[in-house]
Amino acid sequence: MSQAIHFGPQVELADKVKADLRKVRHPHYGRYLEEFAPGQVFVHPRGFTFLPAQMEAFARTYMQCNPLYLNQEFARASGFAGLVASPQMVFNVVLSLGVQNDSEKAIANLGYYDAQFLRPVYAQDTIRSLTKVVERKERGAGKPGIVTIRTLGVNQRDEVVLQYQRKIMVAGQGERPATTPLPRSAGGGAPAFPWVDDAAVELPEFPARLPPGLTGPNSYFEDFSVGEIIVHANGRTITDEHLALTYAVGNTHPLHFDRVFSSGLSGKMSGDPIVYGGLVFAWLEGLASRDVSDNAVWELGFTEGYHTQPSVAGDTVAALSRVLAVEDAPGALGAHCGVVTFQFVGVKNTSAGSALTRHGADLFVKENDKKDLGKEKIDDKIFEIERRLLIRKRR
Amino acid sequence: MSQAIHFGPQVELADKVKADLRKVRHPHYGRYLEEFAPGQVFVHPRGFTFLPAQMEAFARTYMQCNPLYLNQEFARASGFAGLVASPQMVFNVVLSLGVQNDSEKAIANLGYYDAQFLRPVYAQDTIRSLTKVVERKERGAGKPGIVTIRTLGVNQRDEVVLQYQRKIMVAGQGERPATTPLPRSAGGGAPAFPWVDDAAVELPEFPARLPPGLTGPNSYFEDFSVGEIIVHANGRTITDEHLALTYAVGNTHPLHFDRVFSSGLSGKMSGDPIVYGGLVFAWLEGLASRDVSDNAVWELGFTEGYHTQPSVAGDTVAALSRVLAVEDAPGALGAHCGVVTFQFVGVKNTSAGSALTRHGADLFVKENDKKDLGKEKIDDKIFEIERRLLIRKRR
Amino acid sequence: MSQAIHFGPQVELADKVKADLRKVRHPHYGRYLEEFAPGQVFVHPRGFTFLPAQMEAFARTYMQCNPLYLNQEFARASGFAGLVASPQMVFNVVLSLGVQNDSEKAIANLGYYDAQFLRPVYAQDTIRSLTKVVERKERGAGKPGIVTIRTLGVNQRDEVVLQYQRKIMVAGQGERPATTPLPRSAGGGAPAFPWVDDAAVELPEFPARLPPGLTGPNSYFEDFSVGEIIVHANGRTITDEHLALTYAVGNTHPLHFDRVFSSGLSGKMSGDPIVYGGLVFAWLEGLASRDVSDNAVWELGFTEGYHTQPSVAGDTVAALSRVLAVEDAPGALGAHCGVVTFQFVGVKNTSAGSALTRHGADLFVKENDKKDLGKEKIDDKIFEIERRLLIRKRR
């Protein structure tokens, strides 16, 4: 059903309405420290319909090499319903959808924890994002506090596709006007927030045979042994493209795309727009993907993720992986797949090989632990995380 | 039906054919002043099939926040047939398709008038563009003249989706060779040009209920009152990406992507490629969209649009809106929706808030009126327009 | 069928596993000279599902103006099954899929030969790439050798869509560790490699009538005469975008996106990342497309293609075409279409017109022949090739 409506011609009005400087509104987004209340649930705006060309574009932008994200025939032959959205894309989108409520006023992203990808996202799925405030830690007057939040990505069938926890550093409101209030919840109470500890992962049945030759020969489960360090050969120079890519995943924090804002800050974040951390993680993961994940059938998730230095346009990033654990997958799946946990480290403006030569084993000591261990922080280290992959056995 | 044809091997020929410098062709596009004849109709080349991933990509590139352009489930729940192409994208594409005939030789785009979006563009729609020359104003020998044109965007069912008027400044041909002639029209006469004054807008029936939480709480019809000024918080730094984005919408004017051409010019446009104005408009609109248009059900159109300063890569743009009129929508629609007219202003290399502090009410005086009012032009103001939106009531 | 599996919570492990610097792996890709054995067949990884929005995005990124790649209605009206992937995109993708085996260790791409586009690639087609080593020419100890390879692009029905030959310059392994070995072939023997000399081209039946006005009036078969030189008006400034575009087509050579790598090289390639040649070819082809190929019904292929100078971000490229041959298409097709062979030349940091004025006929002498002819190489010439198009007659 449609309607045909005449609105009449648009006539020029500006010079007929006096500009009144007493009626000025400054809508602001994000939340100041006082605006976070434990238990509160934010329903994030917009949502995001995943479309196949976008899914491929994301995988290619960060050079994710697993053909599940690039080759529809391979994805189907692997048991999936169609081309699979890279979990890294799902993470970037779900986090970004939440920035408007969670972190558009945040000073820093302190860490990612307990991220779990619970089911595939396919073309035509529409993902919404929800956040629950877990904890607000104040650290004294005038000091920014620390807020712990949990975020869910939910598809159009209300199934959770991703859950993770995040800590952010947020300043108090001070003299500043309050931010845009939350919409009232439909029923009045807090919206449902179906977080599940140790949630089940919904995966397809994996067939025994796959099209040959489309994945690397050296990245099967059997190729990884505990303690091994893998130096990923290529780096990637990040350009100004990152401003547009921040927009592309829907992240609304001006630190990443507004030079007037970023150069008005003081301290380490002042100057050129800082690359949104999710993009840095994505590039690093892509650089590693030929060596560790092109035979993965699933990204189980990650924890203990820290951006230890910011990156800006012009920086070249590179990555190293270290095998922390290898074990058979649970139950019958164990005959065909194993779980590999990697420590994953990013560096900048050096090759991964040179970074290893220069810093040795210290590259794999967490930056937050360095002080207690009497060690120096490593300036060219930008990221560290532990990630867990479900990887095909060679058989 | 297909045919299998042998063309024979390709053999090297270059050294067997002498280069003859007397047989040189220089195809040129656009029209010089003398080449515009009032009444003439240009059928623009190529056309443009709208695809869903492109439509989302456009909305994200400029951070249009209305979920109609981003979330297929929301678009359907809102009464539309599917994901909706952002009207801003439709405008950019229709104008760009016409550049090859209308303005590839233009010196400046003087203004946009009476733009009306007459029906939604959906995925798989193929849009063509047509232009009719309305007026050619000569201003004396050696001086560029002013050409007024009307342009239509038409879909594959020959329905007009957009119409607008534009004035451009064009130089005479002088000593230069003529541009590429128009193709002969199929029937011999001028092609049909179905412009309609005060045309009806074809809209879906809007359902009473929508998915909650996906749009902002403060941008319903009732939230806007005449005279109010809204300062949009974030800016956007434009990078070299604009060259590629000019290509992406199909704009063929070399001023926007050919540094050899742009640095060979004299005057204000000399130097780095100038950002195509349609892109500037799109970014500004996106920056405003959380505050004014994420509860819009339709962009009715705009008029009195002027790019008052050029932008180049490196500039940071920001925006302000001023409410010029609020009224109920006509007929039964008025129970659920209202029409809001905004004056919309863009600035560069300043935050929107600082620009308001510095320039006050003068920011909302049209630059073209400044001289008559004895006021100075504002250098950091880059754009002004009046736009009219159909916005949901909160009820 | 799906399965719900509990993997248990992910626990922090990094500080429990000692970093062991004796267990370091450096996976490397590409092949050193000794690793190429004539007769050997590489099945390249990943594959690439062509999606319509990507196909349009490619055509727009390089401003390919033939509506076959941009307008689905036009493509169908022209006899094709739907929107057609630009052959230039197919070439870029097929070559890039092979870089991981063929040329990620190559020093230079020496030339393209005998490229033939054998059938259209449509949306949803998944293309794989295969390479056969034809010849390995050693040039003495310590000197890089020359490898000749043939590459096929094959769709999901095992039909060849593209075949071409390439010569690359590759250094020996020296002291360096071997690269990642090839996966074993499924059956044990070399995979099938269905190269066919003078292969048939599968084309649709072309209808007599087409939608009017969507292609240019001056680029029909009859418009081209042997010897004629066509100067393409506009140039294109290449920006840092090329790093992302290299990723977008799946090219894994770090020379194009890793400044730590590229600035560590010596000689002409040292410094900023070099633009991947396939992208340069694509931009040049797009700049020419309004003048020579928007009435083409098929790109038959190309040969004798040489990148004679590298390009970097900031360079502005421009193009010229010279008609080498015009002939009717074979058989019944000849009534409606002809074959035009062009010599196609790219220049940089000059307009095409200025380059012709400066260098005259020498612009069309192959750079490799210059020495024998006692002529100087032309520094601002970046590319030369001979291309063959099947072009509609005006009738």
Side-chain angles (χ1 to χ4, degrees):
Chain A
M1 286 281 289
S2 77
Q3 47 186 335
I5 300 174
H6 288 266
F7 289 90
Q10 183 177 352
V11 293
E12 191 179 345
L13 291 174
D15 58 357
K16 293 173 190 70
V17 178
K18 222 184 151 210
D20 183 348
L21 297 177
R22 292 161 311 180
K23 292 174 70 177
V24 180
R25 259 207 279 157
H26 291 268
H28 264 262
Y29 300 90
R31 314 259 154 238
Y32 294 113
L33 188 59
E34 301 82 344
E35 295 174 320
F36 287 94
Q40 200 179 20
V41 173
F42 307 144
V43 177
H44 304 307
R46 296 186 279 283
F48 193 113
T49 299
F50 280 66
L51 296 166
Q54 275 176 331
M55 289 156 46
E56 276 206 13
F58 185 95
R60 294 193 188 293
T61 297
Y62 303 96
M63 219 184 266
Q64 310 283 337
C65 287
N66 190 326
L68 289 177
Y69 317 139
L70 300 165
N71 179 331
Q72 171 173 283
E73 307 281 325
F74 181 88
R76 288 205 186 112
S78 300
F80 290 91
L83 199 68
V84 179
S86 155
Q88 181 63 256
M89 177 183 186
V90 176
F91 172 65
N92 260 278
V93 166
V94 169
L95 192 155
S96 295
L97 285 171
V99 167
Q100 182 161 325
N101 285 308
D102 298 343
S103 53
E104 199 170 320
K105 289 279 174 280
I107 295 170
N109 178 59
L110 297 177
Y112 311 127
Y113 308 88
D114 299 324
Q116 288 176 271
F117 296 101
L118 298 180
R119 52 174 39 80
V121 173
Y122 292 114
Q124 312 302 332
D125 280 352
T126 296
I127 303 300
R128 291 151 22 233
S129 178
L130 296 167
T131 287
K132 185 171 197 164
V133 180
V134 173
E135 193 188 40
R136 181 180 74 206
K137 208 158 106 187
E138 319 219 358
R139 304 188 308 160
K143 275 196 169 169
I146 293 171
V147 177
T148 303
I149 57 176
R150 283 177 168 178
T151 296
L152 301 178
V154 176
N155 69 19
Q156 72 278 17
R157 288 178 300 276
D158 292 323
E159 298 163 335
V160 177
V161 300
L162 165 64
Q163 59 183 30
Y164 67 87
Q165 190 161 306
R166 191 154 81 103
K167 287 188 193 198
I168 51 181
M169 181 180 289
V170 189
Q173 185 176 337
E175 305 291 295
R176 294 173 285 197
T179 61
T180 299
L182 279 180
R184 306 244 156 219
S185 172
F193 192 82
W195 176 285
V196 176
D197 287 318
D198 186 23
V201 181
E202 290 290 334
L203 291 172
E205 299 283 350
F206 299 113
R209 263 165 224 282
L210 280 182
L214 297 176
T215 58
N218 284 350
S219 56
Y220 289 95
F221 176 73
E222 296 88 339
D223 295 312
F224 301 105
S225 64
V226 173
E228 186 183 32
I229 293 165
I230 303 164
V231 180
H232 307 303
N234 295 340
R236 172 63 151 81
T237 302
I238 298 175
T239 71
D240 272 351
E241 69 196 313
H242 78 88
L243 284 74
L245 293 172
T246 297
Y247 259 46
V249 292
N251 186 321
T252 54
H253 200 308
L255 178 64
H256 307 306
F257 51 74
D258 177 354
R259 189 175 282 123
V260 169
F261 176 88
S262 65
S263 60
L265 297 176
S266 53
K268 187 151 85 170
M269 296 300 194
S270 176
D272 278 341
I274 300 296
V275 184
Y276 159 42
L279 309 185
V280 173
F281 184 7
W283 268 304
L284 294 171
E285 195 197 300
L287 291 168
S289 63
R290 292 195 289 187
D291 302 331
V292 304
S293 65
D294 71 345
N295 281 300
V297 295
W298 196 240
E299 297 264 345
L300 293 170
F302 49 79
T303 195
E304 294 288 319
Y306 304 102
H307 293 283
T308 57
Q309 294 287 342
S311 296
V312 294
D315 283 346
T316 299
V317 300
L320 306 94
S321 295
R322 188 166 73 102
V323 182
L324 297 179
V326 296
E327 54 188 322
D328 285 340
L333 187 59
H336 307 297
C337 294
V339 175
V340 183
T341 306
F342 295 97
Q343 186 181 16
F344 186 52
V345 168
V347 295
K348 71 174 178 184
N349 301 329
T350 170
S351 71
S354 303
L356 184 60
T357 304
R358 191 172 328 121
H359 304 296
D362 282 356
L363 208 50
F364 300 102
V365 176
K366 278 190 186 161
E367 294 305 287
N368 281 340
D369 296 344
K370 289 268 166 79
K371 203 174 164 189
D372 288 350
L373 296 168
K375 289 178 180 287
E376 290 292 308
K377 292 203 178 195
I378 295 178
D379 268 357
D380 47 16
K381 179 172 164 187
I382 58 174
F383 187 61
E384 58 191 358
I385 204 164
E386 300 187 16
R387 50 192 295 239
R388 200 159 61 145
L389 281 73
L390 181 63
I391 298 182
R392 240 191 309 271
K393 293 187 174 179
R394 181 181 282 108
R395 279 169 283 178
Chain B
M1 286 281 289
S2 77
Q3 46 186 334
I5 300 175
H6 288 265
F7 289 90
Q10 183 178 352
V11 293
E12 191 180 345
L13 292 174
D15 57 358
K16 293 172 190 71
V17 179
K18 221 183 151 210
D20 183 348
L21 296 176
R22 291 162 311 179
K23 293 175 70 177
V24 179
R25 259 207 281 157
H26 291 268
H28 263 262
Y29 301 90
R31 314 260 153 237
Y32 294 112
L33 188 59
E34 300 83 343
E35 296 174 320
F36 287 95
Q40 199 178 22
V41 173
F42 307 143
V43 177
H44 302 309
R46 295 185 279 283
F48 193 113
T49 298
F50 280 67
L51 297 167
Q54 274 176 332
M55 290 156 46
E56 276 206 13
F58 186 95
R60 294 193 188 293
T61 297
Y62 303 97
M63 218 184 267
Q64 311 283 339
C65 288
N66 190 326
L68 288 176
Y69 317 137
L70 301 164
N71 179 332
Q72 168 174 286
E73 307 280 326
F74 182 88
R76 288 205 185 113
S78 300
F80 290 90
L83 199 69
V84 179
S86 155
Q88 182 63 255
M89 178 183 186
V90 176
F91 172 65
N92 260 278
V93 166
V94 169
L95 192 155
S96 295
L97 285 172
V99 168
Q100 181 161 326
N101 285 308
D102 298 342
S103 54
E104 199 169 320
K105 288 278 173 282
I107 295 170
N109 178 59
L110 297 176
Y112 311 127
Y113 308 89
D114 299 324
Q116 287 177 271
F117 296 101
L118 298 180
R119 50 173 42 80
V121 173
Y122 293 115
Q124 311 301 331
D125 279 353
T126 296
I127 302 301
R128 294 154 15 237
S129 178
L130 295 168
T131 287
K132 184 169 196 165
V133 179
V134 172
E135 194 189 38
R136 181 182 73 205
K137 208 159 105 187
E138 321 218 357
R139 304 188 309 160
K143 274 196 169 168
I146 292 170
V147 177
T148 303
I149 57 176
R150 284 179 168 176
T151 296
L152 301 177
V154 176
N155 68 20
Q156 71 277 17
R157 289 177 300 277
D158 291 323
E159 299 163 335
V160 177
V161 300
L162 164 64
Q163 59 183 30
Y164 68 87
Q165 190 161 307
R166 190 155 80 104
K167 288 188 191 196
I168 50 180
M169 181 180 290
V170 189
Q173 185 176 335
E175 305 291 296
R176 294 172 285 198
T179 61
T180 299
L182 278 180
R184 305 247 158 218
S185 171
F193 192 81
W195 175 284
V196 176
D197 287 318
D198 186 23
V201 181
E202 290 289 335
L203 292 172
E205 299 283 350
F206 300 114
R209 264 164 224 283
L210 280 182
L214 297 176
T215 58
N218 283 349
S219 55
Y220 288 95
F221 176 73
E222 295 88 339
D223 295 312
F224 301 105
S225 64
V226 172
E228 187 183 30
I229 294 165
I230 303 164
V231 179
H232 308 302
N234 295 340
R236 173 62 150 82
T237 302
I238 299 175
T239 72
D240 272 351
E241 70 197 311
H242 78 88
L243 283 75
L245 292 171
T246 297
Y247 260 46
V249 292
N251 185 321
T252 53
H253 200 308
L255 179 64
H256 308 306
F257 51 73
D258 177 354
R259 190 175 281 124
V260 169
F261 176 87
S262 64
S263 60
L265 298 176
S266 54
K268 188 152 83 169
M269 296 301 195
S270 176
D272 278 341
I274 300 296
V275 184
Y276 159 43
L279 309 186
V280 173
F281 185 7
W283 269 304
L284 293 171
E285 195 196 302
L287 290 168
S289 63
R290 293 195 290 187
D291 301 333
V292 304
S293 65
D294 71 346
N295 281 299
V297 295
W298 196 240
E299 298 263 344
L300 293 170
F302 48 80
T303 195
E304 293 288 319
Y306 304 103
H307 293 282
T308 57
Q309 293 288 341
S311 296
V312 294
D315 284 346
T316 300
V317 301
L320 304 93
S321 295
R322 189 166 73 100
V323 182
L324 297 179
V326 298
E327 53 187 324
D328 284 340
L333 188 59
H336 308 297
C337 293
V339 175
V340 183
T341 306
F342 295 97
Q343 186 181 16
F344 186 52
V345 168
V347 295
K348 71 175 177 183
N349 301 330
T350 170
S351 72
S354 304
L356 184 60
T357 303
R358 191 172 327 122
H359 305 295
D362 282 357
L363 208 51
F364 301 101
V365 175
K366 277 189 187 161
E367 294 304 288
N368 281 340
D369 296 345
K370 289 268 167 81
K371 203 174 164 188
D372 287 350
L373 296 168
K375 289 178 180 287
E376 291 292 308
K377 292 203 177 194
I378 296 178
D379 268 357
D380 47 15
K381 180 172 163 187
I382 57 173
F383 187 62
E384 58 191 358
I385 204 163
E386 299 187 18
R387 50 193 294 240
R388 201 159 60 144
L389 281 74
L390 181 63
I391 298 181
R392 242 190 309 271
K393 293 187 175 179
R394 181 181 282 109
R395 280 172 280 177
Chain C
M1 287 282 287
S2 77
Q3 48 186 334
I5 300 175
H6 288 265
F7 288 90
Q10 182 178 353
V11 294
E12 190 180 346
L13 291 174
D15 58 355
K16 291 172 192 72
V17 178
K18 227 189 146 199
D20 183 348
L21 297 176
R22 292 161 310 180
K23 292 175 70 176
V24 180
R25 259 208 280 156
H26 291 268
H28 264 262
Y29 300 90
R31 314 259 154 239
Y32 294 113
L33 189 58
E34 301 83 343
E35 296 173 320
F36 287 95
Q40 199 178 21
V41 173
F42 307 144
V43 177
H44 303 307
R46 295 185 278 284
F48 193 111
T49 299
F50 280 66
L51 297 166
Q54 274 176 332
M55 289 156 46
E56 276 206 13
F58 186 95
R60 294 193 189 293
T61 296
Y62 303 96
M63 219 186 266
Q64 310 283 340
C65 288
N66 190 325
L68 289 177
Y69 318 138
L70 300 165
N71 179 332
Q72 171 174 283
E73 307 281 326
F74 181 89
R76 287 204 187 114
S78 299
F80 289 91
L83 199 69
V84 180
S86 155
Q88 182 64 255
M89 178 184 186
V90 176
F91 171 65
N92 260 278
V93 166
V94 169
L95 192 154
S96 295
L97 285 172
V99 168
Q100 181 160 326
N101 285 308
D102 297 343
S103 54
E104 199 169 320
K105 289 277 174 282
I107 294 170
N109 178 59
L110 297 177
Y112 311 126
Y113 308 88
D114 299 324
Q116 287 177 272
F117 296 100
L118 297 180
R119 49 173 41 81
V121 172
Y122 292 115
Q124 311 302 330
D125 279 353
T126 296
I127 303 300
R128 292 151 20 234
S129 179
L130 295 168
T131 287
K132 184 170 196 164
V133 180
V134 173
E135 193 188 41
R136 182 181 73 204
K137 207 159 108 187
E138 320 218 359
R139 304 188 306 159
K143 275 196 169 170
I146 293 170
V147 176
T148 303
I149 57 176
R150 284 179 166 175
T151 296
L152 301 177
V154 177
N155 69 19
Q156 72 278 16
R157 289 178 300 277
D158 291 324
E159 298 163 336
V160 177
V161 299
L162 165 64
Q163 59 183 29
Y164 66 88
Q165 188 160 307
R166 191 155 80 104
K167 288 188 192 198
I168 51 180
M169 181 181 286
V170 190
Q173 185 176 336
E175 306 291 296
R176 294 173 286 198
T179 61
T180 299
L182 279 179
R184 305 245 157 220
S185 171
F193 192 81
W195 175 285
V196 176
D197 288 318
D198 186 23
V201 181
E202 289 290 335
L203 291 172
E205 299 283 350
F206 301 113
R209 264 164 223 283
L210 280 182
L214 297 176
T215 57
N218 283 350
S219 56
Y220 288 95
F221 176 72
E222 295 88 339
D223 295 312
F224 301 106
S225 64
V226 172
E228 187 184 30
I229 294 166
I230 303 164
V231 179
H232 307 303
N234 295 341
R236 173 63 150 81
T237 303
I238 299 175
T239 71
D240 272 351
E241 69 196 314
H242 78 88
L243 283 74
L245 293 171
T246 297
Y247 259 46
V249 291
N251 185 321
T252 53
H253 200 307
L255 179 64
H256 308 306
F257 51 73
D258 177 354
R259 191 174 281 123
V260 168
F261 177 88
S262 65
S263 60
L265 297 176
S266 54
K268 187 153 82 168
M269 297 299 194
S270 176
D272 278 340
I274 299 296
V275 184
Y276 158 44
L279 309 185
V280 173
F281 184 7
W283 268 305
L284 293 171
E285 195 197 301
L287 291 168
S289 63
R290 293 194 290 186
D291 302 332
V292 303
S293 64
D294 71 345
N295 280 298
V297 295
W298 196 240
E299 298 264 344
L300 293 170
F302 48 80
T303 196
E304 293 289 319
Y306 304 101
H307 293 282
T308 56
Q309 292 288 342
S311 296
V312 294
D315 284 346
T316 299
V317 300
L320 305 95
S321 295
R322 189 165 73 101
V323 182
L324 297 179
V326 297
E327 54 188 323
D328 285 341
L333 187 59
H336 307 296
C337 293
V339 174
V340 183
T341 306
F342 295 97
Q343 185 180 18
F344 186 52
V345 168
V347 295
K348 71 175 178 184
N349 301 329
T350 171
S351 72
S354 303
L356 184 60
T357 303
R358 191 172 328 120
H359 305 296
D362 283 356
L363 208 51
F364 300 101
V365 176
K366 277 190 187 162
E367 295 304 288
N368 281 340
D369 296 344
K370 289 269 166 79
K371 203 174 164 189
D372 287 351
L373 297 168
K375 288 177 181 289
E376 290 293 306
K377 293 204 177 194
I378 296 179
D379 268 357
D380 46 16
K381 179 171 163 189
I382 58 174
F383 187 63
E384 57 190 359
I385 203 163
E386 299 187 17
R387 49 192 295 238
R388 201 159 60 145
L389 281 74
L390 181 63
I391 297 182
R392 241 190 308 272
K393 293 186 175 179
R394 180 181 283 108
R395 279 171 279 178

